[in-house]
């Protein structure tokens, strides 16, 4: 699902990404009245969360960048991270949830704030992180 979605979304201009998404799964007949798009976002989140997939690693019920992602995706691994960012932004426009909690340092990078070594997910003195109000799945 991730590879197919990557091919569909990776090159779309931003103004198209802001439009309402219509989802149709290959080989399935159905009209998307909200259930298919929800299934699509949840399926993408689950596939991205799979440790065998290779883009992210799970730490304390949150996900961080896998430093070895290039082994699984080759030179395209950075394009897939860009795709994940576009996917999360698309979910905001579509008012959908992607069940994919990131470590706090990644959230900060997304909003343009430089993370510090005192981030709960980077601070070894607290066992690698506490929930600090973050809801885990």
């Amino acid at each position: 699902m991730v590879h197919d979605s990557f091919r569909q979304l990776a090159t779309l201009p931003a103004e198209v990404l802001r439009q309402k998404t219509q989802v149709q799964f290959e080989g399935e007949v159905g009209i998307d009245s909200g259930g298919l798009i929800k299934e699509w976002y949840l399926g993408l989140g689950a596939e991205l969360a799979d440790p065998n997939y290779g883009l992210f690693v799970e730490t304390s019920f949150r996900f961080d960048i896998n430093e070895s992602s290039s082994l699984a995706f080759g030179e395209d691994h950075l394009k897939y991270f860009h795709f994940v960012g576009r996917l999360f932004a698309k979910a905001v426009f579509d008012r959908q949830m992607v069940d994919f909690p990131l470590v706090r340092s990644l959230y900060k990078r997304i909003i343009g704030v430089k993370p510090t070594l005192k981030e709960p997910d980077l601070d070894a003195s607290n066992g690698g992180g506490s929930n600090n109000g973050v809801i885990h799945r």
Side-chain angles (χ1 to χ4, degrees), residues 19-38:
Q19 297 173 3
K20 184 170 172 38
T21 302
Q22 294 291 317
V23 173
Q24 182 174 359
F25 292 107
E26 286 184 14
E28 292 186 25
V29 178
I31 297 173
D32 187 4
S33 59
L36 292 178
I37 193 166
K38 182 177 181 178

Side-chain angles (χ1 to χ4, degrees), residues 15-65:
E15 58 272 6
V16 174
L17 287 173
R18 290 185 192 108
Q19 297 173 3
K20 184 170 172 38
T21 302
Q22 294 291 317
V23 173
Q24 182 174 359
F25 292 107
E26 286 184 14
E28 292 186 25
V29 178
I31 297 173
D32 187 4
S33 59
L36 292 178
I37 193 166
K38 182 177 181 178
E39 183 180 342
W40 180 64
Y41 278 111
L42 291 174
L44 283 172
E47 196 169 316
L48 288 168
D50 183 345
N52 296 319
Y53 206 71
L55 277 179
F56 295 92
V57 292
E58 188 171 4
T59 60
S60 302
F61 304 105
R62 290 174 271 179
F63 295 94
D64 200 353
I65 291 173

Side-chain angles (χ1 to χ4, degrees), residues 78-110:
L78 295 179
K79 291 178 184 176
Y80 274 87
F81 286 117
H82 186 254
F83 160 72
V84 170
R86 290 173 68 105
L87 174 69
F88 290 169
K90 182 76 180 121
V92 171
F93 278 103
D94 288 341
R95 297 177 184 224
Q96 295 291 321
M97 184 185 83
V98 179
D99 186 17
F100 200 79
L102 299 172
V103 293
R104 184 176 293 202
S105 57
L106 279 179
Y107 282 123
K108 280 193 158 186
R109 295 193 71 127
I110 288 170

